Amino acid sequence: MNDSSETQIKLEEDQKYNRLTGLKLFAMTSSMVISVNELAPFGKTGPTALFYILLAGILWFIPITQMAGEMASVKGWEKGGIFTWVKGTLGEKTGWVTLFYQWIHITIGMNMMMYVIIGAMSITLNVPAFNTTPWIRFVLMMIILWSITLVEYVGVKKIGRIAEWLFGVGIALPVVLLIIAFIIYLIQGRPIYFHLSLSNMIPHDLSGATLVAFVPFILAFCGGEASAPHVQHLRHPKVYSKVMWGLALTAMCFDLLGSLAIGMAVPKDQITNSTGFVYAFGKIIDSIGLPGDLIQKIIGVLLALGIVGELGNWLSGPSQGMFVAANEGYMPKYFAQSTKRDVPMRLIILQSLIVTVSAVILTFSSGSNSDFAFNVSMASTTAQYLIVYILMLIAYMNLKIKHDDLPRSYYMSKNRIWSIVVSIVALIITIIAFFVSFIPADGTPANLRMLYIGIMVGICIVVTILPLVIYHYRDKY
């Protein structure tokens, strides 16, 4: 038996072993997309949140996931994710740079997630200093980060199970409870701080301050493409489209109702991005006649646990792709080693070290202004990830134009022109969102605005040069 036959048999066995239903794929992808980190910024946006959520969900998220599903189903592209897709159409160097961006973007995003954990615990324990004193916030971040890093030793499979459980009780449950409490709040006729109407849902002022509000909405839908490689494991590949539409509708409902609950029940000047969810929950619960202070503390603990689960996933997941790249010679051989449980701990530790450095910059440059650190980390995370999507979209157009004859099991559309038009629309949205992310968020103090831009530009320059330098010296590894 030749090597190609053996490879094909192994691939078929792998597909059979990992066979998925549409419901299982939906559950797996939900934990990557649905989050509470952006709900407070959404709430600040007010009635235009509905417009931004529909724009990001329908014109951006759905096309992205459909294109990813098509590329993942191309014969020979079953493994490697976005690295394989981009390399297959735009070349090895571009594929490596895309993978590096996908891996490193979360090193900044983890800071944002930890700020939310610390904000939740500051309310739960009634210790405002957690959120306002830089050195305390930094120490807590290091405890959270390196504790999770040590836990990664147990293996990706166990981490995934723990993360799914924590997502259920720490993310999904609090959001559902917030929505239910808000509905009761409305039924009781409690005061609301804005009303929805067709005239105020669509932004009329296209200034930088208005456009920058769109950034967190794009970030909220990032990550859906990560589950695309599983399209090959579906019993019926055509179900993938329905799963992604279902996920988009679910995510949009969660984001819309959650953000409306915060924005309508809490004055805009009282919403802070790192504590807004827990604060709003307590305020709504208290208003409807329940013990808001107690329930707020419980929700704070659950929310912190849920985001800890997300952090565990983001530490282990992207490092798997980089581990494959390290084994293929794109990184020093030192990083191509794993533990007995196949955990690429050296890469995970490297990632945690990068998070630590970025945490020093963001936390201590913001002083007592916790929202500044949150906003910069959110915008920077979005900017890095959007570069990944820009390259992915260009790769998809290249696939449809030059390689449409490659066999695949799933198509976004078999109409080549329609596919290209949809990808161009998504690309335009992505490019606009990328440049808008460099505009300081609304409420950024005047003395910190240049620092905001400087950090954003500096991070972009560093993470652009690094993969090119690493690739240049790959033959010496």
Side-chain angles (χ1 to χ4, degrees):
M1 184 180 293
N2 57 40
D3 291 342
S4 61
S5 298
E6 290 180 358
T7 302
Q8 183 62 31
I9 291 172
K10 288 181 180 179
L11 179 60
E12 289 175 357
E13 290 177 348
D14 177 63
Q15 290 175 331
K16 185 177 179 180
Y17 177 77
N18 293 292
R19 189 68 68 193
L20 289 174
T21 62
L23 185 61
K24 178 64 176 175
L25 180 64
F26 175 86
M28 290 170 62
T29 315
S30 294
S31 64
M32 299 177 187
V33 176
I34 298 175
S35 181
V36 300
N37 301 327
E38 299 88 12
L39 290 185
F42 289 0
K44 278 186 176 182
T45 306
T48 54
L50 175 60
F51 173 81
Y52 286 139
I53 286 172
L54 292 175
L55 178 65
I58 296 174
L59 294 183
W60 192 79
F61 177 75
I62 287 294
I64 287 287
T65 54
Q66 299 304 305
M67 293 174 209
E70 181 172 343
M71 288 190 285
S73 73
V74 172
K75 188 175 181 180
W77 292 7
E78 292 88 355
K79 294 186 178 181
I82 201 165
F83 169 61
T84 301
W85 312 338
V86 177
K87 183 175 72 170
T89 57
L90 300 180
E92 184 180 81
K93 181 189 289 188
T94 309
W96 158 250
V97 170
T98 305
L99 175 65
F100 187 89
Y101 265 114
Q102 188 186 45
W103 175 70
I104 205 167
H105 91 278
I106 198 57
T107 59
I108 307 297
M110 286 180 186
N111 290 292
M112 176 184 69
M113 296 162 75
M114 288 189 285
Y115 290 142
V116 176
I117 293 173
I118 294 168
M121 296 312 298
S122 72
I123 291 179
T124 299
L125 302 176
N126 195 26
V127 184
F130 282 2
N131 212 39
T132 58
T133 307
W135 72 266
I136 295 178
R137 202 181 338 150
F138 178 75
V139 169
L140 292 173
M141 291 171 74
M142 293 302 98
I143 293 173
I144 295 168
L145 173 65
W146 290 100
S147 295
I148 295 173
T149 301
L150 290 174
V151 172
E152 294 290 334
Y153 269 106
V154 303
V156 174
K157 189 173 182 180
K158 288 186 178 180
I159 288 292
R161 289 176 180 173
I162 294 170
E164 284 184 14
W165 182 82
L166 290 177
F167 169 78
V169 300
I171 303 295
L173 180 61
V175 174
V176 169
L177 292 177
L178 174 69
I179 293 170
I180 293 172
F182 179 60
I183 292 172
I184 297 172
Y185 181 93
L186 293 177
I187 292 173
Q188 292 182 352
R190 302 294 176 182
I192 58 177
Y193 293 92
F194 66 78
H195 293 81
L196 289 175
S197 67
L198 191 59
S199 62
N200 66 11
M201 285 190 295
I202 300 176
H204 300 290
D205 175 21
L206 294 181
S207 64
T210 303
L211 290 173
V212 76
F214 183 55
V215 172
F217 292 90
I218 284 288
L219 181 60
F221 288 102
C222 286
E225 84 293 338
S227 67
H230 293 300
V231 70
Q232 62 177 308
H233 296 135
L234 287 169
R235 291 193 178 96
H236 306 288
K238 291 183 179 179
V239 172
Y240 177 82
S241 179
K242 296 178 181 178
V243 170
M244 291 302 111
W245 271 102
L247 175 63
L249 292 173
T250 302
M252 284 190 286
C253 287
F254 265 63
D255 291 339
L256 177 61
L257 295 175
S259 61
L260 288 179
I262 295 173
M264 284 184 166
V266 182
K268 183 178 179 179
D269 60 359
Q270 292 182 23
I271 301 174
T272 58
N273 291 337
S274 56
T275 62
F277 183 90
V278 179
Y279 177 78
F281 202 107
K283 188 176 185 301
I284 293 172
I285 290 294
D286 197 53
S287 298
I288 64 177
L290 295 174
D293 186 60
L294 174 62
I295 297 177
Q296 181 186 62
K297 294 181 186 301
I298 295 172
I299 291 298
V301 173
L302 291 178
L303 180 64
L305 289 173
I307 298 176
V308 164
E310 287 186 333
L311 280 169
N313 258 344
W314 279 114
L315 264 179
S316 61
S319 292
Q320 296 299 318
M322 287 297 285
F323 182 62
V324 172
N327 276 281
E328 291 183 8
Y330 289 92
M331 292 188 72
K333 293 180 181 179
Y334 176 82
F335 297 107
Q337 298 183 37
S338 63
T339 66
K340 293 180 180 179
R341 294 178 177 175
D342 294 325
V343 180
M345 279 307 300
R346 292 181 178 182
L347 275 170
I348 289 174
I349 290 172
L350 173 64
Q351 190 171 9
S352 295
L353 287 171
I354 297 172
V355 176
T356 300
V357 173
S358 64
V360 171
I361 296 170
L362 294 172
T363 304
F364 290 101
S365 65
S366 63
S368 62
N369 191 326
S370 58
D371 259 13
F372 175 82
F374 180 96
N375 290 337
V376 175
S377 58
M378 178 173 65
S380 183
T381 301
T382 307
Q384 313 313 313
Y385 216 156
L386 288 179
I387 295 176
V388 173
Y389 287 116
I390 289 171
L391 294 170
M392 175 187 144
L393 287 164
I394 294 172
Y396 178 78
M397 286 187 279
N398 196 290
L399 172 67
K400 300 302 287 188
I401 295 170
K402 296 183 178 180
H403 307 283
D404 207 33
D405 57 330
L406 291 176
R408 66 206 76 173
S409 60
Y410 177 80
Y411 288 84
M412 177 176 75
S413 171
K414 291 189 177 181
N415 187 315
R416 184 188 302 185
I417 295 176
W418 172 248
S419 297
I420 293 172
V421 168
V422 171
S423 59
I424 289 173
V425 172
L427 180 61
I428 291 171
I429 293 174
T430 307
I431 291 173
I432 291 173
F434 172 76
F435 285 107
V436 166
S437 67
F438 286 81
I439 301 173
D442 186 30
T444 302
N447 64 313
L448 293 177
R449 294 181 72 85
M450 288 307 297
L451 178 62
Y452 185 107
I453 297 171
I455 292 175
M456 288 287 295
V457 172
I459 289 174
C460 269
I461 291 173
V462 170
V463 300
T464 298
I465 292 174
L466 269 178
L468 295 175
V469 171
I470 294 172
Y471 184 84
H472 179 74
Y473 289 102
R474 71 192 184 285
D475 293 333
K476 299 181 179 180
Y477 301 147

